[in-house]
Amino acid sequence: MTVPEGITILEAAHEAGVKIPTLCHLDLHDFQLYNKTASCRVCMVELVDARNNRNKLVPSCVTKAQEGMVVRTDTIRAITARRMAVELLLSNHPNECFTCPKNLECELQSLAEELNVREIRWEGERMDYPKDMSSDAIVKDANKCIYCRRCETACNEVQTCGILSGIGRGFNAFVGPFANIPMVESSCTYCGQCVMVCPTAALTEAFHCDKVWEAINDPDKYVVVQTAPAIRVALGELFGMEPGTIVTGKMVTALKRMGFDAVFDTNFGADLTIMEEASELIYRLKNNKTLPILTNCCPAWVKFIEHQFPELIHVPSTCKSPHIMLGTIAKTYYAEKKGLDPDNIVVVSVMPCIAKKAEAKRPELTKDEHNNVDIVITTRELGAMIKEAGIEFVKLPDSKFDSPLGEATGASVIFGTAGGVIEAALRTASEWMTGKPLDKVEFEELRGMEGVRRATVKIGDQELKIGIASGLGNARHILEDIRDGKANYHAIEIMACPGGCIAGGGQPYHHGNDEVIKKRREAIYAEDRNKKVRKSHENKEILELYKNYLGEPFGKRAHELLHTHFEE
Ligand code: HC0
Ligand code: SF4
């Protein structure tokens, strides 16, 4: 076959439709995530050297295809070498698949099955590190690290956080924070991108399913649950459905059957955020206050700015994030309406994100009676709980979110993908600024898969310069430009995960396939188009909330309940 110059044997084989197994290798073009450490030796192939009558085994992921090369991918020698690489990894891997959080999701386990490994012929020395459970968000189990270094690439090259690196030697080598300090003492943002690419369970989210079951089964507690925009386009994957299948109705039914007292939509919180954020943008524009305004609903990004750009901490919007806003409203407005004691309300958030677990525990968000959100679980944890409850998800009928914190517009749905928050804000801000309805609700210029997007949006006779970054490495470029006075944006959206929340660290594992993210993204935009009401300021339940309880958007009561400040 003829292939472009410079590509590897692995890529050439892929083009030819020949599968070579891989483990450490990752090639996620849309995330700019390329892990080419060639450390696992699982992709070995045999190079035919007829002249010397001596074939050679080479790792196909780093060996370039060359003119005249003859490659055999299915010889007994190549297959044996691959199997041996996996057996050696298994020889010092904890033998606890039954109870491992990655059981049936583990790439090492799948490879053992795929390569027909039936015994582990060697017993290696085991690592015996304690689990790092120091943070509310991430658990590190170094004993399960196979040193593929995917996490290190995600953290250092894509996110530019520089937390993870190789520690120790030989059998005791693993990847962790410098000097193996506890995760909580590092500058980890809890973005979870390392978790998303870890092939085993060396890095996972901290699990909180038991806390949720306890709350549901406590007769004194009124347990409300809310689901983030990105859950509805991904949850189905955990039940064998196609990526991008919209399962909003089934998800609500499942939550009701699990026993939650009320099922709310974080999208309601997103619409509420837009009411405040659009008001704040207009206020800053009119009063020539700090510009640009930065959306701050992504907690990993907030941690990033705190650690890496403390001099810019005055720039983000002061709005709480949507799920935190909804938690506050559940414990105030909703509690009053229903005659409930806020102390007995437990708010559970289902998020595609690991950092939201740490966000909910931030001191400024937990210090008073408006302890906003009590427990955060990921999409994966929700999937596990639905299975645990014996609910046959695929067969479920649809249900609707409960009222009054369940109505949501198309604007809030698009929060789930990069560029969506700023588009939602501009739908509202432009109608408020011009006093006229938009001709076109969609802002195509704000959409796209690039890591950094810049656009100028005309509102009346004003031109607003907008910046959008997803992935913290991309965010760094924008922040450096702002800090150095090289950019004059009016508003910026940053999401820590490349692609936005649809690709969050708590979502179903994509296993190195970025098509999955594209399909979730298309589903988000489809869900927006399906909505009759597509602008946050037209959400009737939100308008009622302001009329009966909050007063003016960005007013005194709204400030008390819906805004925050940043400090560690
Ligand atoms: Fe997101 Fe959110 S959109 S951060 O991306 O703003 O996690 O889905 O729930 O809170 O709404 C994540 C997703 C949310 C929040 C919302 C925001
Ligand atoms: Fe790095 Fe994000 Fe993982 Fe923390 S969560 S170690 S910042 S990739």
Side-chain angles (χ1 to χ4, degrees), residues 225-471:
V225 65
Q226 55 170 319
T227 56
I231 312 292
R232 64 209 69 200
V233 295
L235 182 64
E237 291 165 37
L238 298 171
F239 301 92
M241 298 165 94
E242 268 298 300
T245 310
I246 301 168
V247 295
T248 320
K250 288 187 194 303
M251 174 180 75
V252 175
T253 308
L255 292 165
K256 291 190 171 173
R257 292 199 185 171
M258 284 164 69
F260 287 102
D261 295 298
V263 182
F264 295 144
D265 197 350
T266 306
N267 295 20
F268 174 92
D271 278 333
L272 188 54
T273 303
I274 290 303
M275 297 293 281
E276 293 299 310
E277 214 161 73
S279 307
E280 191 179 359
L281 169 64
I282 294 170
Y283 171 82
R284 289 202 199 180
L285 286 170
K286 272 197 188 143
N287 296 284
N288 220 1
K289 293 266 181 200
T290 320
L291 285 170
I293 186 170
L294 269 71
T295 62
N296 67 355
C297 39
C298 167
W301 133 240
V302 169
K303 270 213 158 277
F304 184 74
I305 201 169
E306 283 173 337
H307 290 310
Q308 314 248 359
F309 292 87
E311 65 277 23
L312 293 180
I313 199 64
H314 56 285
V315 194
S317 150
T318 58
C319 293
K320 286 179 180 173
S321 72
H323 84 118
I324 299 284
M325 279 197 187
L326 192 138
T328 307
I329 294 301
K331 292 190 182 191
T332 52
Y333 172 69
Y334 182 77
E336 275 179 35
K337 232 176 148 78
K338 288 267 171 184
L340 297 164
D341 178 353
D343 284 344
N344 289 334
I345 297 181
V346 177
V347 177
V348 178
S349 298
V350 186
M351 296 282 129
C353 171
I354 290 178
K356 294 269 176 204
K357 288 176 183 273
E359 179 195 26
K361 297 281 179 262
R362 287 178 68 100
E364 71 277 9
L365 295 179
T366 48
K367 68 179 186 305
D368 52 29
E369 69 277 17
H370 309 307
N371 177 15
N372 309 282
V373 167
D374 300 277
I375 311 170
V376 175
I377 57 169
T378 59
T379 319
R380 294 189 293 265
E381 286 174 281
L382 174 61
M385 291 178 77
I386 294 172
K387 287 180 190 167
E388 211 182 330
I391 295 168
E392 288 191 83
F393 188 79
V394 177
K395 295 187 186 157
L396 289 177
D398 289 347
S399 304
K400 287 205 161 37
F401 287 105
D402 289 317
S403 199
L405 313 186
E407 187 182 322
T409 70
S412 67
V413 181
I414 57 174
F415 267 58
T417 185
V421 178
I422 208 80
E423 178 172 340
L426 289 175
R427 287 183 190 178
T428 290
S430 57
E431 292 207 351
W432 281 352
M433 283 163 77
T434 61
K436 289 190 207 136
L438 281 168
D439 293 334
K440 195 163 178 286
V441 177
E442 284 139 9
F443 288 72
E444 293 293 342
E445 62 274 41
L446 304 176
R447 299 181 177 190
M449 287 293 277
E450 313 93 319
V452 179
R453 175 165 273 260
R454 300 176 179 86
T456 304
V457 172
K458 203 150 190 288
I459 296 184
D461 42 18
Q462 194 158 3
E463 286 198 337
L464 293 188
K465 291 209 171 75
I466 309 294
I468 297 165
S470 74

